[in-house]
Amino acid sequence: MIMTQQEYLEKLCKSYSAYYDITMAEKDAFPLLAELEMHKTETKTAFLGAMTLAEIKTNHYLYVFGTEDLTEDVLDKCSEIAKKKALKKIKPDSTHMESLVTALFLYNKAEDSVLKKAKKKKWAKSFLFSFHGWMRFETKAINLSTL
């Protein structure tokens, strides 16, 4: 049985809902299906919590895209959309450590060359020589016809 994009998206959102804030995309935003965000703050304290030594913020952004046929053009355009959306949300400052951004593609068919490109598509950016943290971007692809 082939799982549809909507079925997989519902399972994914149910699994991630305990930790991530989930925003379903508008119908006109296709192929973007959903945006998932998690923000984590760790505080290092001393003297039984009376003094804060450091605050460390980590962000995770997951952008879910759905397409019947994953092509290089779709991969490149959607990856740029995810990068631009994430960069608008990242607030680099002295407490920001890292932001991980993933573009997840749900597809039914794709050529091997496109899948190889998706596997290698990575990007990193440091903010103020990494004093204000960094951002890592990667892509993942799931073939729904094999589930």
Side-chain angles (χ1 to χ4, degrees):
M1 182 182 132
I2 297 175
M3 189 177 288
T4 66
Q5 288 177 5
Q6 195 59 37
E7 290 171 338
Y8 190 84
L9 184 62
E10 287 171 9
K11 282 187 172 192
L12 181 77
C13 289
K14 184 179 177 186
S15 298
Y16 277 55
S17 64
Y19 306 103
Y20 284 72
D21 298 325
I22 300 169
T23 306
M24 301 306 284
E26 301 294 324
K27 295 260 188 233
D28 61 342
F30 188 79
L32 180 64
L33 302 176
E35 298 179 32
L36 291 78
E37 298 180 25
M38 182 181 72
H39 307 283
K40 179 178 153 189
T41 303
E42 288 185 38
T43 306
K44 304 293 182 193
T45 60
F47 304 115
L48 300 172
M51 188 171 126
T52 301
L53 297 176
E55 186 177 82
I56 301 167
K57 295 179 184 172
T58 304
N59 306 306
H60 294 248
Y61 301 100
L62 174 65
Y63 296 93
V64 183
F65 296 94
T67 180
E68 180 65 30
D69 187 15
L70 183 59
T71 62
E72 273 192 55
D73 187 44
V74 170
L75 179 71
D76 292 338
K77 285 182 182 176
C78 293
S79 295
E80 280 304 310
I81 289 169
K83 267 197 272 188
K84 286 179 183 175
K85 282 180 167 280
L87 281 169
K88 286 181 186 176
K89 293 179 181 184
I90 296 170
K91 306 282 189 267
D93 60 15
S94 60
T95 62
H96 175 257
M97 185 170 88
E98 69 177 338
S99 291
L100 307 174
V101 182
T102 305
L104 175 64
F105 294 90
L106 308 178
Y107 70 95
N108 286 320
K109 58 182 177 178
E111 292 182 16
D112 287 339
S113 61
V114 176
L115 296 176
K116 284 180 184 175
K117 184 176 181 179
K119 194 173 185 178
K120 291 181 180 180
K121 197 169 199 63
K122 293 179 170 64
W123 185 74
K125 177 177 177 60
S126 67
F127 302 104
L128 194 66
F129 307 106
S130 294
F131 289 115
H132 286 187
W134 59 87
M135 169 194 163
R136 273 195 344 247
F137 173 83
E138 64 184 5
T139 57
K140 302 290 181 189
I142 298 174
N143 186 349
L144 296 176
S145 66
T146 61
L147 297 180

